[in-house]
Amino acid sequence: MPDLEPMPTDWQRALAIVAHPDDLEYGASAAIAGWTDAGKTITYLLASRGEAGIDTLSPRDCGPLRAAEQIAAAAIVGVDVVEFLDHPDGVIEYGIPLRRDLAKAIRRHKPELIITINHHPSFPGGFLNMADHRNVGNATLDAVRDAANRWIFTDAGEPWSGVRWVAVAGSPLATHAVDVTETLDRGIASLKEHAAYLAALGGPMAEPEGFLRTIAEQTGERFGTPLAASFELIPM
């Protein structure tokens, strides 16, 4: 029996908040392609430009390159608004400045659904998660409540209490999934747009076709479809 439930579809606006360029492309973007095809509006918000992500490029050169790759990747799955907060890649801190920036964006975009990166200590399979992901994910969860409280960050826009769920991509505690049988190819193409990053990365994660298809097949077995993307859905 499938152990993942279908993601809700009764929403129109989503805000995807992650730490780096490429975070959304490792699985979530195939689901995002299906949502934008259905007429939903999705905006990307990145805490950094990924400027410390390529060992052979200085941050000054790497940041603009990775930001451009992210914008191209987003366009493939129907997302045309990509914003960057310019927190420092690799040392993004959980704290009031990050929560303020995220709450301000939530108030401005007024999403019903927030999509974010895994905030748990590890990924499925036990692989250690990195601090940027944990800090941005946890700050996102807190910023949803911050955005709804008119007495917090009073200089950051009018309160917004309309976030109904946070969907955590790459979570080891996945509860829901989306059928990506028709959109996985676009998800793969979106990851391929991070060409400079993938070339420097090496290893299995640098092979978008094999890496993403294997995960989608495994998730599909749990969801009852050929291919699927999983999320931990947290009601707010």
Side-chain angles (χ1 to χ4, degrees):
M1 290 290 293
D3 65 347
L4 296 172
E5 299 180 24
M7 282 281 290
T9 58
D10 58 332
W11 55 272
Q12 184 58 38
R13 295 183 308 280
L15 178 63
I17 301 172
V18 293
H20 318 105
D22 81 74
D23 285 348
L24 288 164
E25 282 66 51
Y26 275 103
S29 62
I32 289 169
W35 288 328
T36 60
D37 284 351
K40 300 182 187 303
T41 299
I42 301 179
T43 299
Y44 285 5
L45 180 70
L46 285 84
S48 80
R49 294 178 185 263
E51 67 275 5
I54 299 178
D55 184 65
T56 55
L57 283 180
S58 71
R60 181 183 61 187
D61 296 327
C62 186
L65 173 60
R66 296 201 67 198
E69 289 184 341
Q70 180 60 77
I71 292 167
I76 287 176
V77 296
V79 174
D80 57 10
V81 178
V82 181
E83 300 177 353
F84 300 89
L85 293 175
D86 291 321
H87 287 256
D89 180 25
V91 289
I92 300 173
E93 294 183 320
Y94 175 93
I96 300 306
L98 180 59
R99 282 171 53 186
R100 182 192 305 275
D101 286 346
L102 298 182
K104 184 176 182 178
I106 292 168
R107 289 172 176 175
R108 181 161 46 87
H109 290 290
K110 298 178 170 57
E112 300 155 85
L113 174 70
I114 297 281
I115 304 158
T116 194
I117 190 66
N118 178 24
H119 60 288
H120 298 294
S122 63
F123 282 102
F127 300 101
L128 184 67
N129 199 357
M130 68 174 297
D132 281 1
H133 296 158
R134 301 195 310 268
N135 290 343
V136 171
N138 282 315
T140 297
L141 291 169
D142 291 336
V144 171
R145 290 180 174 167
D146 295 337
N149 189 331
R150 71 174 58 255
W151 307 119
I152 296 176
F153 306 139
T154 56
D155 59 345
E158 290 298 310
W160 173 251
S161 58
V163 176
R164 299 164 66 190
W165 312 275
V166 174
V168 183
S171 172
L173 303 178
T175 56
H176 290 65
V178 175
D179 183 356
V180 297
T181 305
E182 300 299 323
T183 58
L184 180 64
D185 286 345
R186 284 163 62 199
I188 292 169
S190 72
L191 180 54
K192 287 181 178 179
E193 287 294 329
H194 296 280
Y197 176 72
L198 294 174
L201 181 64
M205 290 185 68
E207 302 294 336
E209 176 73 36
F211 187 82
L212 294 181
R213 192 168 296 277
T214 297
I215 293 173
E217 289 172 349
Q218 293 171 348
T219 306
E221 291 177 1
R222 297 179 59 191
F223 190 51
T225 60
L227 303 169
S230 67
F231 297 90
E232 177 187 358
L233 191 68
I234 303 173
M236 300 305 290

